Each structure stands twice: as C-alpha cells, then as structure tokens.
Amino acid sequence: VESELALFHRDGYLGPRPLADPAAFDRLRSRAGALIATGSALTGHGTYARHLDSPEVYQACVDSAILGCLRELVGPDLLLWNSSFWKVPPASVRTPWHQDALYWPTAFTLTCWIALTDVTEDSGCLTVAPGSHAQLAPTIECGPDGKFERAAEQAYVDRWPHRPIPMPAGNFVVLSDRILHASSPNNAEADRVALAVRFTIPSMRVYSDRLPLFEGHHSILVSGSDRFGLNKLGEPPRPRRPRSLSAPA
Amino acid sequence: MQNVADLRREITRLRTAMAGRAQSVRVVPSPESWNPVAAVELVDLNLPAGITPSRVTLRIPLPDLYGFACSAAVGITETPLTCAGPAGPVRVPFCVRADAATLAAQRPFYADLRARGDELAGRYTICVTPAQLPARFQHLPLPEFVDALLRYLADPVGAVQAEIERTTRTALTGGTTVVEVLRLAHLLDGIGERDEAARLLERGTELFPDDPWIRRQRRELGEQAATEAASGI
C-alpha cells in the first residue's frame, strides 16, 4: 500500500474523505447562505476569509480529519491563512484550468476543498489533472467573460489525464497549490457550494499586503508550533454562546 | 519542483552520475514521515584537482518541503576544504564551520539537523546557490546541484572573482541596487576581502540609509570578525 504522502506527491491531490465532525459541518451548512449574503464585518466581502469572523466556518476548517490529513503531508505545524466560499449557481460559466500557486501571496499552500452540497459531474464538480503539479503550465489570457484573467493553455492541459472528483456533501479533498484543476458549468438545478480552506506552514511567509488579503488579515496557528515568527498570527473567532446563556437585552 | 517519486529518480540519476567518482550514494532516512529523506551522502567522493583533501564524504541535507518547494543547496564535510591561493593554500570560499548558532538557525528547516544536529556540529558547510533566483518553483534536482558544486570546486576563487566582476558590471550598467551591494559584500567576504566588504557596506548604508538588510549584513560581518579574532581563526 502506498503511503498517503507518496500518493499525494504522485497525484497532487488526496481524497475525497469525509469530515470527522458531522454536527459542525451541519452548523456550517445551515449558516453558509446567510454568511455569504451578509458579508464580513472585517472585509465587507461575503465569501473571503469568513473563518476569521464565523465560528462555524472556523470549526469546519479545523475538522480533525482535515488536520490529520495535512499533518501526514507536512508535519504538525500548520497555519490557516485563508478560506473562501464558492457558490456556483445553475448555468454559471465554467472555471478554467488553472494552478492556484500563481495567485497566492505565499510560496506554498495546501487547499482543503470541502463540499457543502452534493457535487456531481452534472453540477460541475472539481476536475483535476493528476501529476500536473510537478511543473508550471503555460498560460494564456482569458477573454472578458472568463472568471480568471489567465488560464492554462488547453493544448498543455490536454497532455494530462483529467479526473472528475464527485463527492457527497461533507467530504473534502486536499489539493497541491500546483495541480491543474477546473470545473464545468453547473448544469444541475441547485447551487453548488464549497468552502476552500488554505493552509501553509510557519516557515512560509504569507504576504498579508497582497491580494486577495487585506488590512487586518492574520493567520491562525491551528496545529503544532510556530518556530519562525514570520507571520502575523491571531486568534480564531470566539464560539457563539448558546441562546439560553445570552445576557438579556 | 518535484515530489518523492521524483526524488527517487533523482537519487537513481545521482548514483549513475557518481559511479566511479564516489564509492556510493547513501540515503539517510528521516524520523519524520513527512520528510522521508533527511540527507544524501556521497561516500568517499573524489573532489576536483587542487582541492584538499582530495576525497571526502559529502553530506547533503534535504530541506523540509523538498517534495514541494525547496531544493538542496548545501554540502557538509568533516574537514575544511582548501584550494590554491596566490600565497599558498586558502580555505575554499564559502566553506565555513558549522557552528552552534548556524545549526540552531537552520534547524527548523532541515530534518537532518533536528535529528542529528549534534553530530554535525563542528563540521564544515559549503553552500552553492544560483546567482539569480529562477522563476517561482523551478526546482534544482540533486544531480544538477552536485554538478554545480563540483564545477564550483574546480576553481572556487576564480568563480567568485568572476561573480564579483559580473555583479560589479551589473551595478555599473544598471544602477546600484541593494541586491548588488549585499551580493558584492558577501562575495568579497567569501574571498577573504573583509575590509573591502566592510567599506562597501558602509557606502551602501549611505546610499540606502533605510535598508535593514544592509545594516544587518554590516552588523553580522562585524560580529563574525570579532568572533574569529577572539578564537584566533
């Protein structure tokens, strides 16, 4: 049996796997719509970095199955530096083939992509190109209708096998920041919703002044220790008090 | 950029490249499962002519995240390497003693140092990195690193002098930046021109008064000189 590490290094991704805490996942799922609609007090944005102001998002980000998986890949010291919801309505445009590493303000990221709804090939599930993380793809400019400014050259993408990753809600995959991935248009009748959680390790600097980050951004040490002190660290959001314990108005 | 499967291939290629040059290529396993290989040793490696000793065992620690983002950049030997200088043998530029402070500073980055740092204290390190960083995620495989190291050792003083000339030309033609000041001072120090390096950093401080890196390098150069004077090196 090949080790998880060897599989991840070979393919550039791992999973899908189920989250360990279904109750925490249910709380996230029931809050996600409202969170996206109202926006963060910190960023004003509905989808970015909600783990900083929502205990439900934070708890899902640090699910023990996720952290256990990441520890197998990079050891015990882990920083959570960003998260983003992906809410894709029916008949939306496709997400082109790309490598995340070109966009992030840090030289190393592992993404945990958590399905908040059942994700099928019909609803445009994540599709990866196993093994493509070993090199950078040539890119071309996308047209004005594209989601991204640049995408990988199709001729290059076609050299790799393509593997769709359908998964039930409450499952996740871990992606290298260099694996080519894409998703098709959502041809189902309901929204496809996911939460992408970005982790790095403390020896990597996260440039908080670069997009998509913002003033006031901080990373959270979610496992192990930080022996480097390169990054601004902060606390996770405080858990919400149960209603019965709230102080009377 | 590579992965553990590629590392296996790199080691196979290295074994082929070292056949007849080293007695063997030994893989040093790591106790950390996420960094499976701590180091690679080239046992009884035959060094280029002019280097003393002529044969060494060269240990190459693999940085954490070797499988994702980092490349090997340093070799460790039991004894210092010397080469011919104008007035007799001189230490190979950038072959320095692995003191406790250096090992402590590098410990978080190398499984080998975490597992066996005490054994490595007092040995000598030789570091070879590219003059200009390649585009993001360009990985330098082990055989190419060893090849670069051996090419450097074929004429280390000449290589540093050529690099000084190249960097000076860049500064003169393209305008002096902090990078050139730091690099030139580092090269001058490596070749034993410490006073010249100190003067350059002083001038750099005047040119770039707010730059923390120049101030830091200047301070470190002074501390290094004081340490060496105290220990009689």
Side-chain angles (χ1 to χ4, degrees):
Chain A
V1 178
E2 287 197 80
S3 72
E4 300 279 56
L5 183 73
L7 284 174
F8 184 78
H9 281 209
R10 186 193 68 192
D11 294 340
Y13 80 99
L14 208 56
R17 288 178 170 189
L19 293 170
D21 186 347
F25 174 70
D26 286 342
R27 285 195 293 276
L28 167 68
R29 196 153 62 157
S30 64
R31 285 279 297 158
L35 286 168
I36 294 169
T38 53
S40 161
L42 192 62
T43 65
H45 203 284
T47 58
Y48 272 125
R50 301 309 303 270
H51 64 282
L52 292 178
D53 74 324
S54 161
E56 292 85 3
V57 175
Y58 176 77
Q59 284 305 322
C61 292
V62 296
D63 183 276
S64 62
I66 290 177
L67 296 187
C69 189
L70 297 179
R71 287 187 195 109
E72 287 177 40
L73 302 181
V74 290
D77 304 332
L78 297 167
L79 294 183
L80 164 59
W81 69 267
N82 202 13
S83 65
S84 49
F85 283 111
W86 287 90
K87 183 181 175 187
V88 182
S92 59
V93 297
R94 72 187 185 98
T95 301
W97 286 95
H98 66 283
Q99 290 169 311
D100 285 350
L102 297 178
Y103 302 96
W104 296 146
T106 182
F108 177 72
T109 291
L110 291 177
T111 292
C112 287
W113 196 95
I114 306 171
L116 269 66
T117 53
D118 290 343
V119 180
T120 62
E121 291 197 47
D122 196 37
S123 68
C125 66
L126 196 64
T127 300
V128 298
S132 60
H133 61 300
Q135 48 194 289
L136 285 184
T139 59
I140 51 162
E141 279 188 29
C142 295
D145 300 334
K147 264 188 191 174
F148 293 180
E149 286 180 7
R150 300 192 73 80
E153 269 182 24
Q154 195 57 45
Y156 179 85
V157 170
D158 290 342
R159 287 191 220 155
W160 300 94
H162 298 176
R163 189 178 297 167
I165 313 179
M167 68 182 101
N171 279 242
F172 69 95
V173 285
V174 181
L175 302 169
S176 159
D177 55 1
R178 294 153 211 185
I179 190 169
L180 277 168
H181 60 288
S183 61
S184 306
N186 179 0
N187 293 321
E189 291 179 355
D191 290 347
R192 167 165 57 81
V193 187
L195 176 69
V197 191
R198 320 292 181 184
F199 295 91
T200 189
I201 57 173
S203 59
M204 294 286 144
R205 191 184 292 276
V206 178
Y207 291 91
S208 292
D209 56 343
R210 295 186 194 168
L211 290 173
L213 299 183
F214 45 85
E215 198 178 338
H217 168 268
H218 65 260
S219 299
I220 301 173
L221 182 70
V222 293
S223 174
S225 59
D226 178 358
R227 294 163 291 172
F228 296 86
L230 296 175
N231 296 299
K232 183 180 165 193
L233 300 185
E235 295 296 317
R238 289 187 182 171
R240 257 177 253 284
R241 286 186 184 183
R243 266 181 216 283
S244 56
L245 298 178
S246 298
Chain B
M1 188 162 57
Q2 41 71 71
N3 51 58
V4 288
D6 282 344
L7 174 57
R8 206 173 289 143
R9 283 190 279 273
E10 284 183 29
I11 290 170
T12 303
R13 276 207 296 129
L14 185 62
R15 285 194 164 118
T16 305
M18 290 296 107
R21 177 131 212 181
Q23 192 185 81
S24 63
V25 175
R26 194 170 79 85
V27 171
V28 182
S30 157
E32 298 174 359
S33 58
W34 56 95
N35 295 311
V37 178
V40 171
E41 274 194 343
L42 308 183
V43 179
D44 201 23
L45 171 69
N46 190 11
L47 294 177
I51 299 293
T52 304
S54 59
R55 301 187 81 92
V56 294
T57 290
L58 185 76
R59 189 181 187 103
I60 303 167
L62 298 191
D64 296 353
L65 280 185
Y66 189 82
F68 298 101
C70 302
S71 303
V74 66
I76 299 178
T77 61
E78 289 273 4
T79 51
L81 304 181
T82 61
C83 59
V90 293
R91 176 85 58 83
V92 166
F94 305 112
C95 178
V96 297
R97 196 160 188 270
D99 58 22
T102 305
L103 290 172
Q106 298 298 328
R107 223 176 137 80
F109 300 99
Y110 290 93
D112 199 28
L113 300 190
R114 289 194 290 280
R116 303 175 190 89
D118 292 343
E119 294 169 36
L120 301 174
R123 294 194 193 182
Y124 291 81
T125 63
I126 183 151
C127 192
V128 177
T129 53
Q132 286 170 316
L133 290 176
R136 273 179 115 186
F137 316 129
Q138 291 289 322
H139 173 68
L140 183 68
L142 267 174
E144 280 70 21
F145 165 68
V146 171
D147 182 57
L149 182 59
L150 292 175
R151 273 189 285 116
Y152 172 71
L153 289 176
D155 181 13
V157 175
V160 177
Q161 279 167 340
E163 192 54 35
I164 288 173
E165 282 165 26
R166 196 192 67 78
T167 310
T168 306
R169 263 201 316 276
T170 305
L172 290 175
T173 54
T176 306
T177 67
V178 169
V179 173
E180 275 90 40
V181 173
L182 295 172
R183 185 161 184 80
L184 266 179
H186 180 60
L187 291 164
L188 288 166
D189 180 37
I191 210 167
E193 301 281 354
R194 182 161 291 160
D195 291 343
E196 189 63 27
R199 276 194 292 276
L200 180 69
L201 289 171
E202 196 179 325
R203 177 79 183 115
T205 313
E206 290 164 12
L207 285 172
F208 306 100
D210 298 327
D211 186 78
W213 296 100
I214 293 179
R215 282 204 303 275
R216 179 176 156 174
Q217 192 164 332
R218 197 177 168 198
R219 189 181 66 242
E220 286 176 352
L221 193 71
E223 288 168 358
Q224 204 177 329
T227 306
E228 289 181 10
S231 61
I233 296 173

mmCIF file of all heavy atoms in Angstrom, chain A residues 41-77:
data_model
loop_
_atom_site.group_PDB
_atom_site.id
_atom_site.type_symbol
_atom_site.label_atom_id
_atom_site.label_comp_id
_atom_site.label_asym_id
_atom_site.label_seq_id
_atom_site.Cartn_x
_atom_site.Cartn_y
_atom_site.Cartn_z
ATOM 1 N N ALA A 41 -17.822 41.656 8.532
ATOM 2 C CA ALA A 41 -17.546 42.972 9.101
ATOM 3 C C ALA A 41 -16.078 43.340 8.883
ATOM 4 O O ALA A 41 -15.720 44.504 8.783
ATOM 5 C CB ALA A 41 -17.869 42.950 10.590
ATOM 6 N N LEU A 42 -15.239 42.328 8.768
ATOM 7 C CA LEU A 42 -13.795 42.554 8.638
ATOM 8 C C LEU A 42 -13.416 42.967 7.222
ATOM 9 O O LEU A 42 -12.603 43.867 7.016
ATOM 10 C CB LEU A 42 -13.067 41.253 9.021
ATOM 11 C CG LEU A 42 -11.580 41.308 9.235
ATOM 12 C CD1 LEU A 42 -11.212 42.239 10.382
ATOM 13 C CD2 LEU A 42 -11.053 39.908 9.528
ATOM 14 N N THR A 43 -13.991 42.306 6.237
ATOM 15 C CA THR A 43 -13.582 42.550 4.845
ATOM 16 C C THR A 43 -14.699 43.166 4.014
ATOM 17 O O THR A 43 -14.444 43.672 2.929
ATOM 18 C CB THR A 43 -13.192 41.235 4.151
ATOM 19 O OG1 THR A 43 -14.358 40.406 4.070
ATOM 20 C CG2 THR A 43 -12.126 40.495 4.926
ATOM 21 N N GLY A 44 -15.904 43.095 4.489
ATOM 22 C CA GLY A 44 -17.038 43.554 3.700
ATOM 23 C C GLY A 44 -17.451 42.543 2.647
ATOM 24 O O GLY A 44 -18.441 42.702 1.947
ATOM 25 N N HIS A 45 -16.670 41.483 2.529
ATOM 26 C CA HIS A 45 -16.897 40.514 1.467
ATOM 27 C C HIS A 45 -17.613 39.292 2.031
ATOM 28 O O HIS A 45 -17.310 38.863 3.140
ATOM 29 C CB HIS A 45 -15.539 40.115 0.866
ATOM 30 C CG HIS A 45 -15.652 39.598 -0.515
ATOM 31 N ND1 HIS A 45 -16.115 38.332 -0.774
ATOM 32 C CD2 HIS A 45 -15.370 40.161 -1.711
ATOM 33 C CE1 HIS A 45 -16.113 38.140 -2.086
ATOM 34 N NE2 HIS A 45 -15.669 39.238 -2.671
ATOM 35 N N GLY A 46 -18.509 38.720 1.253
ATOM 36 C CA GLY A 46 -19.273 37.585 1.752
ATOM 37 C C GLY A 46 -18.529 36.268 1.753
ATOM 38 O O GLY A 46 -18.768 35.407 2.600
ATOM 39 N N THR A 47 -17.607 36.111 0.796
ATOM 40 C CA THR A 47 -17.044 34.779 0.623
ATOM 41 C C THR A 47 -15.634 34.611 1.189
ATOM 42 O O THR A 47 -15.218 33.503 1.482
ATOM 43 C CB THR A 47 -17.002 34.413 -0.878
ATOM 44 O OG1 THR A 47 -16.236 35.384 -1.568
ATOM 45 C CG2 THR A 47 -18.394 34.339 -1.464
ATOM 46 N N TYR A 48 -14.861 35.707 1.307
ATOM 47 C CA TYR A 48 -13.458 35.575 1.704
ATOM 48 C C TYR A 48 -13.252 35.550 3.209
ATOM 49 O O TYR A 48 -13.853 36.345 3.939
ATOM 50 C CB TYR A 48 -12.622 36.745 1.169
ATOM 51 C CG TYR A 48 -12.080 36.476 -0.215
ATOM 52 C CD1 TYR A 48 -12.327 37.366 -1.244
ATOM 53 C CD2 TYR A 48 -11.332 35.348 -0.488
ATOM 54 C CE1 TYR A 48 -11.850 37.135 -2.521
ATOM 55 C CE2 TYR A 48 -10.849 35.100 -1.758
ATOM 56 C CZ TYR A 48 -11.111 35.994 -2.768
ATOM 57 O OH TYR A 48 -10.651 35.757 -4.022
ATOM 58 N N ALA A 49 -12.381 34.689 3.638
ATOM 59 C CA ALA A 49 -11.811 34.715 4.994
ATOM 60 C C ALA A 49 -12.883 34.743 6.083
ATOM 61 O O ALA A 49 -12.689 35.378 7.117
ATOM 62 C CB ALA A 49 -10.865 35.915 5.134
ATOM 63 N N ARG A 50 -13.947 34.035 5.860
ATOM 64 C CA ARG A 50 -15.007 34.060 6.875
ATOM 65 C C ARG A 50 -14.639 33.242 8.115
ATOM 66 O O ARG A 50 -15.327 33.321 9.130
ATOM 67 C CB ARG A 50 -16.334 33.574 6.271
ATOM 68 C CG ARG A 50 -16.831 34.383 5.093
ATOM 69 C CD ARG A 50 -16.876 35.878 5.359
ATOM 70 N NE ARG A 50 -17.681 36.277 6.501
ATOM 71 C CZ ARG A 50 -18.974 36.579 6.446
ATOM 72 N NH1 ARG A 50 -19.604 36.525 5.297
ATOM 73 N NH2 ARG A 50 -19.626 36.938 7.520
ATOM 74 N N HIS A 51 -13.565 32.483 8.039
ATOM 75 C CA HIS A 51 -13.112 31.772 9.243
ATOM 76 C C HIS A 51 -12.631 32.749 10.308
ATOM 77 O O HIS A 51 -12.467 32.375 11.456
ATOM 78 C CB HIS A 51 -11.970 30.802 8.888
ATOM 79 C CG HIS A 51 -10.744 31.489 8.394
ATOM 80 N ND1 HIS A 51 -10.608 31.981 7.109
ATOM 81 C CD2 HIS A 51 -9.592 31.819 9.030
ATOM 82 C CE1 HIS A 51 -9.438 32.552 6.975
ATOM 83 N NE2 HIS A 51 -8.796 32.472 8.128
ATOM 84 N N LEU A 52 -12.402 34.008 9.901
ATOM 85 C CA LEU A 52 -11.944 34.994 10.879
ATOM 86 C C LEU A 52 -13.093 35.587 11.682
ATOM 87 O O LEU A 52 -12.865 36.125 12.768
ATOM 88 C CB LEU A 52 -11.177 36.123 10.175
ATOM 89 C CG LEU A 52 -9.834 35.734 9.553
ATOM 90 C CD1 LEU A 52 -9.192 36.926 8.850
ATOM 91 C CD2 LEU A 52 -8.885 35.173 10.608
ATOM 92 N N ASP A 53 -14.302 35.544 11.133
ATOM 93 C CA ASP A 53 -15.415 36.125 11.901
ATOM 94 C C ASP A 53 -16.555 35.143 12.159
ATOM 95 O O ASP A 53 -17.489 35.476 12.887
ATOM 96 C CB ASP A 53 -15.946 37.388 11.206
ATOM 97 C CG ASP A 53 -16.758 37.093 9.959
ATOM 98 O OD1 ASP A 53 -16.405 36.132 9.251
ATOM 99 O OD2 ASP A 53 -17.735 37.809 9.689
ATOM 100 N N SER A 54 -16.474 33.950 11.608
ATOM 101 C CA SER A 54 -17.559 32.986 11.826
ATOM 102 C C SER A 54 -17.018 31.741 12.526
ATOM 103 O O SER A 54 -16.203 31.000 11.953
ATOM 104 C CB SER A 54 -18.177 32.576 10.486
ATOM 105 O OG SER A 54 -18.888 31.368 10.642
ATOM 106 N N PRO A 55 -17.461 31.485 13.738
ATOM 107 C CA PRO A 55 -17.015 30.265 14.423
ATOM 108 C C PRO A 55 -17.412 29.004 13.670
ATOM 109 O O PRO A 55 -16.677 28.009 13.694
ATOM 110 C CB PRO A 55 -17.731 30.315 15.777
ATOM 111 C CG PRO A 55 -18.398 31.621 15.881
ATOM 112 C CD PRO A 55 -18.381 32.290 14.546
ATOM 113 N N GLU A 56 -18.527 29.037 12.957
ATOM 114 C CA GLU A 56 -18.959 27.852 12.225
ATOM 115 C C GLU A 56 -17.982 27.531 11.092
ATOM 116 O O GLU A 56 -17.642 26.369 10.847
ATOM 117 C CB GLU A 56 -20.370 28.054 11.638
ATOM 118 C CG GLU A 56 -21.466 28.128 12.682
ATOM 119 C CD GLU A 56 -21.643 29.521 13.256
ATOM 120 O OE1 GLU A 56 -20.943 30.458 12.789
ATOM 121 O OE2 GLU A 56 -22.456 29.686 14.183
ATOM 122 N N VAL A 57 -17.553 28.586 10.404
ATOM 123 C CA VAL A 57 -16.588 28.355 9.312
ATOM 124 C C VAL A 57 -15.264 27.868 9.903
ATOM 125 O O VAL A 57 -14.665 26.896 9.421
ATOM 126 C CB VAL A 57 -16.371 29.650 8.483
ATOM 127 C CG1 VAL A 57 -15.289 29.435 7.431
ATOM 128 C CG2 VAL A 57 -17.676 30.075 7.825
ATOM 129 N N TYR A 58 -14.835 28.527 10.956
ATOM 130 C CA TYR A 58 -13.544 28.141 11.559
ATOM 131 C C TYR A 58 -13.562 26.681 11.999
ATOM 132 O O TYR A 58 -12.604 25.933 11.732
ATOM 133 C CB TYR A 58 -13.220 29.065 12.740
ATOM 134 C CG TYR A 58 -11.954 28.642 13.442
ATOM 135 C CD1 TYR A 58 -10.715 28.924 12.884
ATOM 136 C CD2 TYR A 58 -12.006 27.922 14.633
ATOM 137 C CE1 TYR A 58 -9.541 28.494 13.494
ATOM 138 C CE2 TYR A 58 -10.837 27.483 15.251
ATOM 139 C CZ TYR A 58 -9.617 27.778 14.677
ATOM 140 O OH TYR A 58 -8.457 27.343 15.274
ATOM 141 N N GLN A 59 -14.650 26.261 12.657
ATOM 142 C CA GLN A 59 -14.701 24.883 13.162
ATOM 143 C C GLN A 59 -14.623 23.862 12.031
ATOM 144 O O GLN A 59 -13.987 22.813 12.169
ATOM 145 C CB GLN A 59 -15.984 24.659 13.981
ATOM 146 C CG GLN A 59 -15.928 25.270 15.381
ATOM 147 C CD GLN A 59 -14.717 24.789 16.180
ATOM 148 O OE1 GLN A 59 -14.323 23.637 16.095
ATOM 149 N NE2 GLN A 59 -14.091 25.691 16.927
ATOM 150 N N ALA A 60 -15.257 24.186 10.903
ATOM 151 C CA ALA A 60 -15.165 23.265 9.755
ATOM 152 C C ALA A 60 -13.744 23.245 9.191
ATOM 153 O O ALA A 60 -13.239 22.199 8.770
ATOM 154 C CB ALA A 60 -16.158 23.684 8.673
ATOM 155 N N CYS A 61 -13.089 24.406 9.207
ATOM 156 C CA CYS A 61 -11.715 24.482 8.662
ATOM 157 C C CYS A 61 -10.760 23.597 9.466
ATOM 158 O O CYS A 61 -9.786 23.083 8.911
ATOM 159 C CB CYS A 61 -11.198 25.913 8.712
ATOM 160 S SG CYS A 61 -12.036 27.060 7.609
ATOM 161 N N VAL A 62 -11.009 23.485 10.756
ATOM 162 C CA VAL A 62 -10.060 22.737 11.600
ATOM 163 C C VAL A 62 -10.627 21.374 11.993
ATOM 164 O O VAL A 62 -10.234 20.810 13.019
ATOM 165 C CB VAL A 62 -9.653 23.557 12.856
ATOM 166 C CG1 VAL A 62 -8.914 24.815 12.431
ATOM 167 C CG2 VAL A 62 -10.861 23.907 13.722
ATOM 168 N N ASP A 63 -11.509 20.854 11.179
ATOM 169 C CA ASP A 63 -12.025 19.499 11.400
ATOM 170 C C ASP A 63 -10.840 18.538 11.576
ATOM 171 O O ASP A 63 -9.835 18.634 10.859
ATOM 172 C CB ASP A 63 -12.862 19.103 10.180
ATOM 173 C CG ASP A 63 -13.491 17.737 10.345
ATOM 174 O OD1 ASP A 63 -12.797 16.738 10.050
ATOM 175 O OD2 ASP A 63 -14.655 17.683 10.773
ATOM 176 N N SER A 64 -10.976 17.610 12.508
ATOM 177 C CA SER A 64 -9.811 16.764 12.828
ATOM 178 C C SER A 64 -9.401 15.878 11.654
ATOM 179 O O SER A 64 -8.220 15.522 11.522
ATOM 180 C CB SER A 64 -10.102 15.916 14.072
ATOM 181 O OG SER A 64 -11.189 15.051 13.821
ATOM 182 N N ALA A 65 -10.344 15.536 10.771
ATOM 183 C CA ALA A 65 -9.950 14.738 9.591
ATOM 184 C C ALA A 65 -9.056 15.557 8.667
ATOM 185 O O ALA A 65 -8.091 15.045 8.084
ATOM 186 C CB ALA A 65 -11.194 14.259 8.849
ATOM 187 N N ILE A 66 -9.377 16.849 8.538
ATOM 188 C CA ILE A 66 -8.551 17.729 7.692
ATOM 189 C C ILE A 66 -7.161 17.884 8.299
ATOM 190 O O ILE A 66 -6.142 17.680 7.627
ATOM 191 C CB ILE A 66 -9.215 19.117 7.530
ATOM 192 C CG1 ILE A 66 -10.475 19.003 6.667
ATOM 193 C CG2 ILE A 66 -8.242 20.127 6.938
ATOM 194 C CD1 ILE A 66 -11.234 20.302 6.499
ATOM 195 N N LEU A 67 -7.121 18.236 9.563
ATOM 196 C CA LEU A 67 -5.805 18.473 10.180
ATOM 197 C C LEU A 67 -4.972 17.189 10.207
ATOM 198 O O LEU A 67 -3.751 17.229 9.982
ATOM 199 C CB LEU A 67 -5.966 19.040 11.596
ATOM 200 C CG LEU A 67 -6.635 20.422 11.683
ATOM 201 C CD1 LEU A 67 -6.570 20.951 13.118
ATOM 202 C CD2 LEU A 67 -5.996 21.426 10.737
ATOM 203 N N GLY A 68 -5.627 16.056 10.437
ATOM 204 C CA GLY A 68 -4.898 14.788 10.441
ATOM 205 C C GLY A 68 -4.265 14.517 9.089
ATOM 206 O O GLY A 68 -3.110 14.087 8.993
ATOM 207 N N CYS A 69 -5.018 14.799 8.056
ATOM 208 C CA CYS A 69 -4.527 14.578 6.697
ATOM 209 C C CYS A 69 -3.338 15.498 6.400
ATOM 210 O O CYS A 69 -2.312 15.068 5.852
ATOM 211 C CB CYS A 69 -5.694 14.860 5.756
ATOM 212 S SG CYS A 69 -5.398 14.408 4.099
ATOM 213 N N LEU A 70 -3.467 16.756 6.779
ATOM 214 C CA LEU A 70 -2.393 17.711 6.500
ATOM 215 C C LEU A 70 -1.121 17.369 7.276
ATOM 216 O O LEU A 70 -0.009 17.532 6.761
ATOM 217 C CB LEU A 70 -2.843 19.137 6.855
ATOM 218 C CG LEU A 70 -4.020 19.683 6.046
ATOM 219 C CD1 LEU A 70 -4.390 21.078 6.513
ATOM 220 C CD2 LEU A 70 -3.683 19.713 4.559
ATOM 221 N N ARG A 71 -1.306 16.888 8.498
ATOM 222 C CA ARG A 71 -0.120 16.525 9.297
ATOM 223 C C ARG A 71 0.652 15.383 8.628
ATOM 224 O O ARG A 71 1.871 15.323 8.698
ATOM 225 C CB ARG A 71 -0.542 16.118 10.708
ATOM 226 C CG ARG A 71 -0.986 17.283 11.568
ATOM 227 C CD ARG A 71 -1.228 16.823 13.007
ATOM 228 N NE ARG A 71 -1.980 17.804 13.748
ATOM 229 C CZ ARG A 71 -3.248 17.659 14.141
ATOM 230 N NH1 ARG A 71 -3.902 16.536 13.873
ATOM 231 N NH2 ARG A 71 -3.869 18.617 14.802
ATOM 232 N N GLU A 72 -0.075 14.481 7.998
ATOM 233 C CA GLU A 72 0.618 13.392 7.285
ATOM 234 C C GLU A 72 1.456 13.930 6.135
ATOM 235 O O GLU A 72 2.476 13.356 5.765
ATOM 236 C CB GLU A 72 -0.406 12.413 6.704
ATOM 237 C CG GLU A 72 -1.075 11.525 7.734
ATOM 238 C CD GLU A 72 -2.132 10.646 7.079
ATOM 239 O OE1 GLU A 72 -1.883 10.155 5.964
ATOM 240 O OE2 GLU A 72 -3.213 10.484 7.677
ATOM 241 N N LEU A 73 1.011 15.044 5.570
ATOM 242 C CA LEU A 73 1.689 15.565 4.380
ATOM 243 C C LEU A 73 2.837 16.516 4.703
ATOM 244 O O LEU A 73 3.852 16.527 3.999
ATOM 245 C CB LEU A 73 0.691 16.276 3.464
ATOM 246 C CG LEU A 73 -0.482 15.436 2.974
ATOM 247 C CD1 LEU A 73 -1.372 16.259 2.061
ATOM 248 C CD2 LEU A 73 0.008 14.194 2.241
ATOM 249 N N VAL A 74 2.653 17.344 5.738
ATOM 250 C CA VAL A 74 3.691 18.367 6.001
ATOM 251 C C VAL A 74 4.099 18.472 7.459
ATOM 252 O O VAL A 74 4.839 19.385 7.830
ATOM 253 C CB VAL A 74 3.250 19.773 5.493
ATOM 254 C CG1 VAL A 74 3.230 19.816 3.994
ATOM 255 C CG2 VAL A 74 1.913 20.184 6.061
ATOM 256 N N GLY A 75 3.631 17.567 8.297
ATOM 257 C CA GLY A 75 4.047 17.603 9.690
ATOM 258 C C GLY A 75 3.061 18.362 10.564
ATOM 259 O O GLY A 75 2.003 18.798 10.104
ATOM 260 N N PRO A 76 3.418 18.529 11.829
ATOM 261 C CA PRO A 76 2.435 19.007 12.806
ATOM 262 C C PRO A 76 2.172 20.512 12.789
ATOM 263 O O PRO A 76 1.148 20.951 13.324
ATOM 264 C CB PRO A 76 3.064 18.605 14.144
ATOM 265 C CG PRO A 76 4.529 18.555 13.876
ATOM 266 C CD PRO A 76 4.684 18.123 12.454
ATOM 267 N N ASP A 77 3.061 21.312 12.223
ATOM 268 C CA ASP A 77 2.917 22.767 12.342
ATOM 269 C C ASP A 77 2.120 23.319 11.158
ATOM 270 O O ASP A 77 2.576 23.250 10.006
ATOM 271 C CB ASP A 77 4.296 23.432 12.405
ATOM 272 C CG ASP A 77 5.124 22.868 13.546
ATOM 273 O OD1 ASP A 77 4.522 22.423 14.542
ATOM 274 O OD2 ASP A 77 6.369 22.860 13.436
#
